[in-house]
């Protein structure tokens, strides 16, 4: 079987439509369809079937797409080994970040990159309407993602996940709020509060879901806002309180105070998410290392400030 045709089948598994595969691989849809028909003839079994107006992979197609992923990983691994003998990591690495991860990780990582001649990062920031970061891995070498644990579908798609940091969530309160007097707040302290919530499905929203399950009453959410800076302003204005990430919330001199939550899981994992074959490239591995070093610096820096 032709490796290039197998790669088209893998792209169809990841992207979900012939049109999307054609766009990503700079082919026409008819050319993609023709190559998949040739691959199906070579395989001797149906690899796709009609579903509505589109195509989906059969069981055999899914199995062969997984084989295509394994072949791609093996090829990249072999090329990476060869490049290590020839030269330092170089080339362009595309990186997608969500906004608060960009605030934490990018300034230091890009400064460090200045000492890596020949290696370039091309950045895009994404604040997804629904946070399914796996869908971005088809178009970016590294996707900086946040999650509670490792979602099952990341493993099912054969993605490589490198943990960068665990970031706690805190409760953001307006200056002068009675709970500011506490060093730590409990779920029971928060029952009667108005909340500025995040969009449904976001990590902050899942903390509020757990809070409701813990206290036996759904939190009273008066607004749902995606942008954390707007949330901070609304909290400072007394509109409500909120769940916000610890390392990037500006809680000094801007009208809000943050407090940790006791007895409630309130944190997120920030990870570098990649297709397994791209993760083998020396350039991609080096950028992941830079992100890991910067994440360690951010966490350690916060601990040092907290100990003063």
């Amino acid at each position: 079987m032709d490796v290039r045709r197998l790669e088209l089948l893998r792209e169809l598994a990841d992207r979900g439509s012939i049109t999307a595969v054609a766009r990503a691989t700079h082919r026409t849809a008819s050319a993609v369809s023709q190559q998949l028909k040739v691959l199906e003839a070579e395989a001797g079994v149906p690899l796709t079937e009609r579903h509505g107006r589109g195509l989906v992979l059969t069981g055999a197609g899914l199995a062969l797409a997984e084989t295509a992923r394994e072949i791609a990983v093996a090829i990249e691994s072999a090329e990476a080994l060869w490049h290590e003998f020839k030269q330092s990591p170089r080339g362009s690495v595309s990186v997608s970040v969500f906004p608060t991860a960009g605030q934490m990780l990018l300034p230091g990582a890009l400064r460090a990159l200045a000492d890596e001649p020949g290696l370039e990062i091309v950045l895009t920031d994404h604040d997804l309407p629904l946070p399914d970061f796996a869908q971005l891995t088809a178009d970016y070498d590294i996707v900086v993602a946040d999650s509670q644990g490792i979602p099952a579908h990341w493993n099912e798609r054969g993605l490589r996940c490198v943990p960068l940091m665990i970031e706690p969530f805190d409760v953001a309160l307006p200056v002068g709020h009675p709970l500011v007097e506490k060093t730590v707040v409990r779920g029971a302290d928060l029952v009667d509060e108005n909340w500025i919530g995040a969009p449904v499905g976001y990590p902050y929203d899942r903390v509020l879901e757990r809070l409701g399950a813990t206290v036996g009453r759904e939190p009273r959410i008066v607004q749902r806002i995606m942008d954390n800076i707007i949330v901070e302003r609304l909290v400072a204005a007394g509109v409500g309180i909120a769940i916000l990430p610890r390392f990037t919330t500006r809680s000094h001199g801007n009208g809000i105070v943050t407090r940790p939550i006791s007895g409630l899981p309130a944190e997120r994992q920030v990870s570098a998410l990649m297709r397994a074959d791209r993760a083998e490239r020396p350039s991609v591995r080096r950028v992941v290392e830079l992100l890991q070093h910067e994440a360690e610096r951010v966490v350690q820096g916060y601990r040092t400030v907290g100990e003063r």
Side-chain angles (χ1 to χ4, degrees):
M1 293 182 187
D2 190 289
V3 171
R4 289 167 294 185
R5 294 190 191 108
L6 286 172
E7 181 60 22
L8 289 178
L9 189 70
R10 180 258 186 97
E11 291 289 346
L12 180 58
D14 284 350
R15 298 180 186 274
S17 73
I18 294 290
T19 301
V21 174
R23 187 184 305 117
T25 59
H26 308 292
R27 293 174 169 86
T28 64
S30 60
V32 172
S33 296
Q34 181 60 35
Q35 289 299 304
L36 290 175
K37 287 178 182 176
V38 173
L39 179 63
E40 192 168 71
E42 292 174 340
V45 294
L47 302 177
T48 63
E49 59 187 4
R50 283 285 170 190
H51 183 75
R53 299 178 63 183
L55 286 179
V56 297
L57 297 185
T58 63
L62 289 169
L64 200 55
E66 181 57 35
T67 299
R69 289 192 185 97
E70 293 171 358
I71 291 172
V73 171
I75 290 172
E76 290 290 351
S77 180
E79 290 184 353
L81 182 62
W82 178 242
H83 280 298
E84 285 182 355
F85 283 106
K86 290 174 61 180
Q87 60 189 13
S88 300
R90 58 179 53 246
S92 179
V93 177
S94 58
V95 179
S96 168
V97 296
F98 60 92
T100 52
Q103 293 173 38
M104 290 188 288
L105 304 178
L106 294 183
L110 290 176
R111 278 197 306 269
L113 193 68
D115 297 326
E116 307 267 346
L119 183 58
E120 174 189 39
I121 296 177
V122 178
L123 296 170
T124 303
D125 61 316
H126 282 97
D127 211 346
L128 302 178
L130 288 174
D132 182 7
F133 291 97
Q135 66 183 337
L136 297 174
T137 58
D139 296 312
Y140 297 92
D141 297 320
I142 301 170
V143 176
V144 180
D146 67 343
S147 61
Q148 265 76 53
I150 305 298
H153 70 283
W154 290 5
N155 291 325
E156 290 165 2
R157 292 183 61 166
L159 299 176
R160 189 79 54 82
C161 181
V162 177
L164 299 177
M165 67 163 67
I166 300 293
E167 182 178 22
F169 294 150
D170 294 327
V171 175
L173 307 160
V175 170
H177 192 286
L179 291 177
V180 170
E181 300 302 319
K182 295 177 174 285
T183 56
V184 176
V185 297
R186 299 173 297 117
D189 298 326
L190 304 169
V191 170
D192 296 321
E193 298 291 336
N194 290 332
W195 287 89
I196 310 299
V200 174
Y202 273 65
Y204 316 141
D205 180 61
R206 289 193 282 272
V207 174
L208 289 183
E209 287 181 353
R210 289 195 288 270
L211 173 64
T214 299
V215 302
R217 187 193 310 177
E218 289 188 8
R220 186 166 58 245
I221 299 174
V222 296
Q223 299 290 342
R224 288 187 181 273
I225 302 292
M226 184 182 296
D227 187 281
N228 287 355
I229 295 177
I230 297 175
V231 173
E232 290 179 15
R233 299 294 185 269
L234 294 179
V235 171
V239 176
I241 67 175
I243 302 294
L244 285 174
R246 180 170 297 175
F247 300 149
T248 51
T249 299
R250 287 161 289 279
S251 59
H252 301 285
N254 66 339
I256 71 172
V257 176
T258 58
R259 292 289 180 263
I261 311 168
S262 173
L264 187 69
E267 63 185 25
R268 65 177 170 186
Q269 178 171 310
V270 180
S271 307
L273 191 63
M274 299 156 283
R275 281 182 167 182
D277 53 316
R278 292 180 183 175
E280 296 294 333
R281 297 177 189 169
S283 56
V284 171
R285 292 206 310 266
R286 180 56 184 150
V287 172
V288 170
E289 288 174 1
L290 294 177
L291 293 172
Q292 286 177 304
H293 293 159
E294 188 60 18
E296 291 171 5
R297 191 194 66 79
V298 168
V299 173
Q300 187 57 45
Y302 190 90
R303 287 174 180 162
T304 301
V305 170
E307 290 168 358
R308 290 175 183 172

